[in-house]
């Protein structure tokens, strides 16, 4: 199953992807997490990306496409994966279609997390993230049990450099200008399924699960092959 979680920053894609990953064992491929791992390791790629990320801009298409191309070669992606925060431009979506078709695969479903900008500023400015396992918290609605310490792995919980109001507004502008055209792109492919991301986390998760196709393109291909 190849899924794309599409939506503005703070719409809950990452949280929902983590939950689905835990249930279905399809890894969550978050280009934002991959870039932050590069920053933490001080790689050349991380140093170059940090400036753009801190300003709320996108990093070049070729960088993220290259990261995804390498990542999906891992054996944990054989049964499928969840793309979280990728693709973010039409060019990335076209590259993804191309790299999947080279493997005889295609995107099964694109879940669009719908939410107004006004709600996102409050969500993102109160968001805190584990510096190690990327578990997400919110200062008001879901703080860690011990202030500043991740419930899951015990590492420090921090505020991301780009989760401040000025950069959040920039990221939302970038989303509307460069990423939202993907809504039409995937709608035309008949793969888009919008869900209301303002609902409680459990309700959103139920909708995510209900919106999954019964069988992936790869699964259908296999069963047709065996039926012959
Ligand atoms: P995220 O964690 O998904 O909110 O991403 C954080 C930041 O990483 C974004 O604001 C971008 O600067 C960068 N980034 C993550 N994914 C992509 C992508 N697919 N294309 C370009 N930049 C990305």
């Amino acid at each position: 199953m190849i899924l794309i979680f599409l939506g503005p920053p703070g719409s809950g894609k990452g949280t929902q992807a983590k939950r689905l990953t835990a249930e279905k064992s399809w890894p969550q491929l978050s280009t934002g997490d991959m870039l932050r791992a590069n920053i933490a390791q001080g790689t050349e790629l991380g140093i170059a990306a940090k400036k753009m990320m801190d300003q709320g801009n996108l990093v070049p298409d070729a960088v993220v496409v290259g990261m995804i191309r390498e990542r999906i070669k891992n054996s944990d992606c054989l049964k499928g994966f969840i793309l979280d925060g990728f693709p973010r431009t039409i060019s990335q979506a076209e590259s993804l279609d191309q790299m999947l078709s080279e493997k005889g695969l295609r995107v099964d479903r694109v879940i669009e997390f719908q939410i107004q900008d006004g709600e996102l500023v409050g969500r993102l400015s109160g968001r805190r993230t584990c510096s190690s396992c990327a578990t997400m918290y919110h200062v008001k609605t879901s703080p860690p049990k011990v202030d500043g310490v991740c419930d899951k792995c015990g590492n420090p919980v921090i505020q991301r450099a780009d989760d401040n109001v000025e950069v959040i507004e920039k990221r939302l502008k970038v989303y509307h200008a460069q990423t939202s055209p993907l809504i039409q792109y995937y709608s035309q492919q008949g793969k888009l399924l919008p869900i209301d991301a303002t609902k409680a986390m459990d309700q959103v998760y139920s909708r995510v699960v209900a919106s999954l196709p019964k069988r992936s393109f790869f699964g259908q291909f296999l069963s047709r092959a065996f039926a012959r």
Side-chain angles (χ1 to χ4, degrees), residues 1-17:
M1 185 73 67
I2 299 177
L3 300 173
I4 294 175
F5 282 11
L6 176 67
S11 56
K13 306 183 299 289
T15 306
Q16 298 294 338

Side-chain angles (χ1 to χ4, degrees), residues 9 13 30-33 35-36 49 52-54 56-61 64 84-89 92 127 160 162 171:
K13 306 183 299 289
S30 157
T31 38
D33 286 348
L35 290 165
R36 280 184 290 277
M52 296 170 228
M53 292 168 74
D54 285 353
N57 289 314
L58 296 185
V59 306
D61 290 336
V64 284
D84 162 19
F86 178 91
R88 258 175 155 103
T89 62
Q92 290 177 23
R127 184 164 79 172
R160 271 171 47 174
D162 57 351
R171 287 159 69 202

Side-chain angles (χ1 to χ4, degrees), residues 8-215:
S11 56
K13 306 183 299 289
T15 306
Q16 298 294 338
K18 281 188 180 58
R19 198 163 160 183
L20 194 59
T21 289
E23 194 183 314
K24 302 277 189 189
S25 309
W26 303 318
Q28 170 199 14
L29 311 190
S30 157
T31 38
D33 286 348
M34 293 177 199
L35 290 165
R36 280 184 290 277
N38 272 275
I39 294 173
Q41 289 156 15
T43 66
E44 221 173 286
L45 189 156
I47 293 164
K50 184 172 177 4
K51 271 195 203 147
M52 296 170 228
M53 292 168 74
D54 285 353
Q55 290 169 354
N57 289 314
L58 296 185
V59 306
D61 290 336
V63 172
V64 284
V65 168
M67 288 191 320
I68 291 293
R69 190 185 295 281
E70 284 310 304
R71 180 64 183 83
I72 64 175
K73 287 180 185 163
N74 280 18
S75 57
D76 65 340
C77 290
L78 276 176
K79 285 194 182 150
F81 45 87
I82 306 164
L83 291 164
D84 162 19
F86 178 91
R88 258 175 155 103
T89 62
I90 295 284
S91 157
Q92 290 177 23
E94 288 170 349
S95 299
L96 175 67
D97 283 346
Q98 175 68 30
M99 75 174 91
L100 291 178
S101 79
E102 283 164 13
K103 292 172 179 284
L105 297 171
R106 67 180 188 206
V107 171
D108 289 295
R109 175 76 82 236
V110 180
I111 300 179
E112 183 207 350
F113 289 69
Q114 291 186 328
I115 182 165
Q116 298 294 318
D117 285 6
E119 198 158 326
L120 293 170
V121 179
R123 278 194 183 192
L124 287 167
S125 55
R127 184 164 79 172
R128 299 293 181 270
T129 311
C130 173
S131 54
S132 176
C133 70
T135 296
M136 277 179 263
Y137 300 91
H138 190 280
V139 284
K140 286 195 187 134
T141 54
S142 55
K145 288 188 189 107
V146 178
D147 193 26
V149 180
C150 180
D151 295 349
K152 291 213 175 117
C153 70
N155 280 299
V157 169
I158 53 153
Q159 180 170 27
R160 271 171 47 174
D162 57 351
D163 277 347
N164 69 74
V165 174
E166 201 184 314
V167 182
I168 291 167
E169 280 168 0
K170 178 68 193 291
R171 287 159 69 202
L172 291 175
K173 267 198 192 137
V174 167
Y175 176 79
H176 292 298
Q178 300 192 54
T179 307
S180 65
L182 293 177
I183 295 169
Q184 204 196 347
Y185 181 87
Y186 287 116
S187 168
Q188 278 170 351
Q189 292 189 7
K191 293 181 178 165
L192 192 81
L193 216 138
I195 61 171
D196 180 355
T198 62
K199 300 268 188 251
M201 254 182 333
D202 285 350
Q203 275 176 284
V204 175
Y205 186 68
S206 304
R207 285 284 293 126
V208 167
V209 173
S211 65
L212 301 178
K214 293 291 163 267
R215 227 173 322 144

